[in-house]
């Protein structure tokens, strides 16, 4: 059946076009689970050192050092300790984890088992987004295969290490991708994020020390164990090593999933790999990292896709979801779609977020209809500034940033809507 | 409405896999909804009793998550992703065409209880926009004609 999406492959995705490589037999034939066996011969401390020196950064949005995160787990102390794999991919524009789970379930399980050994976890909760029924089924099949072969269970690959993996399906709530929202959801509660500290390494799932890692992050781990830190640092930039999966969508000739080194220039992604916009169109703006990240205008697409460079342009890599908009698209209308999403998905726990996301949507929608006044634009800026950094989790920031980005680069479009009392983009998508 | 012995056995398995019974709440609700189509107050009370928690704890979870339904549902859920990547590739036009075809607005079930059209906030299939989710299955890169045929084929 194939991955059903155009691919550029590298080490994570090299076998994704081959249906025979999805199951355990095919995965092992291609060298699968060798990294796990090697890892089990090393101490957890050595593995944490390896992943830290490789410079692997979390691929779930925040980009935190994976090795450092693992090192926060208490090295001894009472069991149980847990690993949580975050497969709640819900960031609009992002679809990499779905393909990783469907096409490479054993690669993920191998990464999980190595991470579990390194952090002393006795059980992994693999939390899969509720809508992702097919990926969840692929993982259940892979776990059953691995259990039957003694790769998951009381003696992982014949060692003394015991580990079990449980798939838990979410039920349609974006906020459960936030790691402590996810932990609440695992415990059978509303997915409302927790105050930090305490961090999950101290007080995680069911109150026990827990590491939470994203799907893609864990998929890199076996490759680092097999090939070493220096090999991994041969991809990407000095500060952001490795490849990542860029999901390119929107008004572009060849949308797809492209595994490329971090630091690949955005214009190379958009024009070379994704084929650029339609023949008679020009790119207007690109959202570089999922809906939460501020847009970049057409004259800033030379930026290398790594956080150290994107931060200079006041945006971030996020989840690598690249959305391309051409000149037909009304940026105010795009802002209405963005604002609607965050209003809908706010968990309602913090006032700034619950009220702020509603007001942003109301104001942007009013401007789009041609019923806005100039003051609405400054009120929007004021609301965004008052949401940033003021709440329990980063959702409020994620709701404010894209609107701030639109106002930073396309303020003229907002003003034109107010002055002309209408939207002047006849060819933009209808709301 | 009662939870069948088969579903009860599956809930017990889920309880065995989690450190605290309440950790089996989401799996239990998926199972009960798969059997009954929705989670009534009566079913919520039954789940609460199995897990040793209050009905209110169950209902607050049912109402928090979009995929759980407290009321009876039409036979099929058809949702069109209308987030930005899909909107940029014609999803909203497609939804409007399907609304016209079915004679209902998104969110309203058809009079015969056959289906409800809805909007979805990003299904994670952005490269193949527009995307339709029919019950549990994704249909990608759909044009209007193919989507209408798909809907007409639902019982």
């Amino acid at each position: 059946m194939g991955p059903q999406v155009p691919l550029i492959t590298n080490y994570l995705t090299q076998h994704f076009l081959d249906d025979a490589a999805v199951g355990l037999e095919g995965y092992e034939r291609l060298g699968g689970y060798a990294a796990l066996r090697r890892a089990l011969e090393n101490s957890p401390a050595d593995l944490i050192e390896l992943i830290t020196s490789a410079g692997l950064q979390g691929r779930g949005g925040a980009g935190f050092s994976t090795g450092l995160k693992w090192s926060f787990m208490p090295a001894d102390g009472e069991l149980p300790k847990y690993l949580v794999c975050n497969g709640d991919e819900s960031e609009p524009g992002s679809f990499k984890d779905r393909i990783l789970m469907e096409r490479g379930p054993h690669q993920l399980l191998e990464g999980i088992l190595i991470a579990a050994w390194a952090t002393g976890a006795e059980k992994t909760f693999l939390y899969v987004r509720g809508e992702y029924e097919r990926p969840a089924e692929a993982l259940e099949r892979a776990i059953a295969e691995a259990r039957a072969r003694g790769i998951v269970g009381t003696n992982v690959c014949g060692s003394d290490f015991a580990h079990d993996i449980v798939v838990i399906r979410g039920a349609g709530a974006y906020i459960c991708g936030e790691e402590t929202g996810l932990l609440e959801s695992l415990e059978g509660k509303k997915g409302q994020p927790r105050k930090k500290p305490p961090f999950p390494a101290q007080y995680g799932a069911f109150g026990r020390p827990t590491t939470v890692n994203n799907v893609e992050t864990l998929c890199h781990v076996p490759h680092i164990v097999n090939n070493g830190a220096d090999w991994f640092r041969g991809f990407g930039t000095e500060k952001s090593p490795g490849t990542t999966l860029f999901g390119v969508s929107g008004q572009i000739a060849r949308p797809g999933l492209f595994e490329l080194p971090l630091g690949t220039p955005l214009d190379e992604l958009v024009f070379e790999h994704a084929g650029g916009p339609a023949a008679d169109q020009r790119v207007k703006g690109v959202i570089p990292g999922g809906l939460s990240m501020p847009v970049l205008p057409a004259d800033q697409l030379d930026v290398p896709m790594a956080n150290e460079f994107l931060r200079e342009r006041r945006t971030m890599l996020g989840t690598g979801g690249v959305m391309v908009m051409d000149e037909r698209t009304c940026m105010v209308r795009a802002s209405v779609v963005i604002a609607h999403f965050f209003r809908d998905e706010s968990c309602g726990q913090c006032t700034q977020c619950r009220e702020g996301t509603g007001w942003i949507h109301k104001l942007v929608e009013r401007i789009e209809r041609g019923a806005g006044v100039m003051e609405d634009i400054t009120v929007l800026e004021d609301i965004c500034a008052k949401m940033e950094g003021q709440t329990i989790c980063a959702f409020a920031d994620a709701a404010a940033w894209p609107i701030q980005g639109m106002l930073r680069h396309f303020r003229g479009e907002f003003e034109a809507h107010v002055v002309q009392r209408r939207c002047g983009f006849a060819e933009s998508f209808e709301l | 409405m009662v939870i069948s012995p088969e579903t009860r056995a599956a809930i017990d398995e889920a309880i065995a896999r989690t450190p605290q019974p309440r950790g089996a709440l989401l799996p239990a609700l998926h199972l009960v909804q798969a059997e009954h189509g929705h989670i009534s107050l009566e079913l919520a009370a039954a789940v609460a009793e199995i897990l040793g928690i209050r009905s209110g704890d169950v209902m607050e979870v049912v109402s928090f998550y979009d995929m759980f339904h407290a009321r009876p549902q039409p036979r099929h859920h058809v949702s069109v992703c209308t987030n930005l990547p899909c909107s940029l590739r014609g999803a909203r036009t497609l939804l409007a065409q399907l609304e016209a075809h079915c004679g209902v607005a998104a969110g309203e079930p058809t009079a015969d209880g056959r289906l409800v059209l809805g909007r979805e906030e990003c299904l994670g299939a952005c490269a193949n926009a527009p995307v339709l989710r029919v019950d549990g299955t994704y249909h990608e890169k759909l044009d209007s004609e193919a989507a209408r045929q798909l809907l007409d084929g639902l019982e």
Side-chain angles (χ1 to χ4, degrees), chain A residues 91-109:
Chain A
E91 181 71 23
S94 196
F95 47 94
K96 65 189 174 81
D97 293 342
R98 180 167 77 100
I99 308 284
L100 285 167
M101 290 187 276
E102 269 190 57
R103 300 302 296 177
H106 283 288
Q107 173 175 260
L108 175 58
L109 297 189

Side-chain angles (χ1 to χ4, degrees), chain A residues 51-93:
Chain A
I51 299 302
T52 307
S53 63
L56 176 62
Q57 295 166 342
R59 300 292 202 255
F64 192 76
S65 160
T66 302
L68 202 54
K69 200 180 221 186
W70 290 6
S71 76
F72 294 156
M73 287 288 278
D76 35 48
E78 288 169 47
L79 288 171
K81 292 184 269 187
Y82 298 123
L83 176 67
V84 168
C85 174
N86 185 344
D88 193 50
E89 175 172 74
S90 310
E91 181 71 23

Side-chain angles (χ1 to χ4, degrees), chain A residues 13-318:
Chain A
T13 50
Q14 58 187 329
H15 303 302
F16 280 17
L17 293 166
D18 178 6
D19 287 345
V22 177
L24 179 57
E25 198 185 312
Y27 184 69
E28 286 200 303
R29 182 166 40 78
L30 294 161
Y33 290 112
L36 172 61
R37 291 188 175 87
R38 181 181 299 198
L40 290 168
E41 289 166 10
N42 284 285
S43 72
D46 287 347
L47 281 167
I48 293 174
E49 169 55 29
L50 171 70
I51 299 302
T52 307
S53 63
L56 176 62
Q57 295 166 342
R59 300 292 202 255
F64 192 76
S65 160
T66 302
L68 202 54
K69 200 180 221 186
W70 290 6
S71 76
F72 294 156
M73 287 288 278
D76 35 48
E78 288 169 47
L79 288 171
K81 292 184 269 187
Y82 298 123
L83 176 67
V84 168
C85 174
N86 185 344
D88 193 50
E89 175 172 74
S90 310
E91 181 71 23
S94 196
F95 47 94
K96 65 189 174 81
D97 293 342
R98 180 167 77 100
I99 308 284
L100 285 167
M101 290 187 276
E102 269 190 57
R103 300 302 296 177
H106 283 288
Q107 173 175 260
L108 175 58
L109 297 189
E110 187 170 13
I112 283 173
L113 289 162
I114 296 169
W117 168 243
T119 58
E122 67 164 43
K123 186 177 269 199
T124 292
F125 298 101
L126 175 39
Y127 189 97
V128 181
R129 179 179 177 183
E131 288 85 351
Y132 283 5
E133 292 184 30
R134 298 293 100 78
E137 288 163 11
L139 290 164
E140 293 278 17
R141 269 196 304 276
I143 292 166
E145 282 182 307
R147 187 171 284 126
R149 196 74 68 85
I151 296 168
V152 169
T154 46
N155 301 93
V156 172
C157 293
S159 71
D160 292 336
F161 176 54
H163 195 76
D164 195 19
I165 304 176
V166 180
V167 174
I168 300 282
R169 285 182 56 216
Y174 172 81
I175 196 61
C176 292
E178 199 277 347
E179 64 179 13
T180 60
L182 191 158
L183 295 174
E184 289 287 296
S185 183
L186 267 185
E187 296 182 6
K189 300 170 190 163
K190 296 186 285 185
Q192 293 187 320
R194 298 175 181 171
K195 281 185 196 154
K196 289 153 282 235
F199 290 95
Q202 283 81 49
Y203 188 93
F206 305 96
R208 303 301 309 167
T210 302
T211 308
V212 186
N213 285 141
N214 158 264
V215 165
E216 185 195 328
T217 310
L218 291 169
C219 289
H220 286 277
V221 167
H223 300 279
I224 296 171
V225 170
N226 273 332
N227 301 295
D230 289 342
W231 167 86
F232 187 71
R233 286 189 168 278
F235 299 93
T237 68
E238 194 193 333
K239 288 184 176 156
S240 303
T243 65
T244 199
L245 299 182
F246 296 105
V248 185
S249 66
Q251 289 167 313
I252 198 79
R254 291 192 301 273
L257 189 66
F258 308 139
E259 183 183 355
L260 292 163
L262 282 165
T264 300
L266 181 53
D267 49 11
E268 182 186 319
L269 256 180
V270 169
F271 294 99
E272 197 174 310
H273 302 300
D280 55 343
Q281 288 297 324
R282 284 191 305 185
V283 172
K284 183 188 220 174
V286 178
I287 298 174
L291 208 68
S292 310
M293 295 301 149
V295 67
L296 287 168
D299 63 1
Q300 292 200 28
L301 305 188
D302 57 325
V303 65
M305 290 289 279
N307 274 330
E308 66 268 32
F309 302 103
L310 286 159
R311 273 198 205 97
E312 290 174 6
R313 313 283 178 106
R314 301 179 71 181
T315 187
M316 271 176 76
L317 183 68

